[in-house]
Amino acid sequence: GKVFTFHDDAPSIDAGKIAAAAAVAVVDETHLGTDASFNIADVFKDGFYDYGADGAGTVSYGLSLLDGNGQANDVGSGLYADGGGGAQGAQIMLHQVSGGVIEGVIGNDVYFTITVANGKVTLDQVKAIWHSDPHNADEPASLQLAGGSLQLVATVTDADGDHAQPGVDLGNGKVFTFHDDAPSIDAGKI
């Protein structure tokens, strides 16, 4: 029979050192070519994990996109294309290109990308989106999904391959915001 049993160890996570509120990226259509980003180290603070008795391994970061059925493509963003004449167009769908890239698309048209690279999460707005209030030239529209559908995930792996994967909800309506733009008038040309 068994005389000795050895139980494995796995990395542990200190949730108190994960600052979800630090995850904020705001773009403004007035400057469509200007990206917004936040540092991953501001969200997953030093000491948020402990490898445990098995020893040091690796830490990596990525994006996770899943709808209620566990699918990673065609997740509705709650954001829409401009349908022309102030009308709401088609809904922009989220599509996971890789573990570090998610695109907001309608067909083959990319409206924005969310990427994880070089210690940052970056929002790059490529095309203007629809905003509902024609009287607010700076109206915000935010990416808002069902809880946990879009996450920034840290994968902590110890020396013998055990892992822990804490995530931060990026689709909660507080992280990715798109401000509207309006026409401008050059009074010197009137």
Side-chain angles (χ1 to χ4, degrees):
K2 292 185 198 179
V3 177
F4 298 103
T5 302
F6 297 91
H7 291 275
D8 197 5
D9 187 24
S12 61
I13 303 301
D14 182 349
K17 293 188 177 176
I18 300 175
V24 176
V26 179
V27 291
D28 189 330
E29 291 178 355
T30 305
H31 310 286
L32 201 54
T34 303
D35 300 343
S37 62
F38 59 86
N39 292 317
I40 293 171
D42 292 338
V43 176
F44 291 102
K45 305 257 184 210
D46 283 341
F48 81 91
Y49 63 89
D50 181 349
Y51 286 118
D54 290 333
T58 61
V59 178
S60 62
Y61 301 94
L63 297 169
S64 171
L65 176 66
L66 296 173
D67 67 8
N69 298 315
Q71 302 298 313
N73 292 318
D74 299 326
V75 176
S77 69
L79 301 169
Y80 297 86
D82 186 345
Q88 176 180 312
Q91 182 171 199
I92 299 168
M93 304 303 284
L94 299 179
H95 176 80
Q96 187 143 18
V97 177
S98 69
V101 180
I102 291 176
E103 293 180 335
V105 300
I106 297 175
N108 292 324
D109 292 329
V110 177
Y111 281 78
F112 59 87
T113 60
I114 300 168
T115 58
V116 170
N118 303 317
K120 294 184 178 203
V121 175
T122 301
L123 173 62
D124 176 15
Q125 185 178 7
V126 179
K127 292 185 177 193
I129 65 170
W130 176 74
H131 290 82
S132 62
D133 184 355
H135 304 292
N136 183 350
D138 198 33
E139 177 187 10
S142 295
L143 182 67
Q144 187 149 5
L145 310 169
S149 296
L150 174 59
Q151 292 193 15
L152 172 61
V153 177
T155 301
V156 180
T157 307
D158 68 16
D160 77 345
D162 299 316
H163 67 276
Q165 290 184 298
V168 171
D169 187 2
L170 300 182
N172 62 16
K174 299 175 185 174
V175 178
F176 299 115
T177 302
F178 304 78
H179 280 269
D180 200 3
D181 185 23
S184 60
I185 305 297
D186 183 347
K189 295 185 179 181
I190 298 178

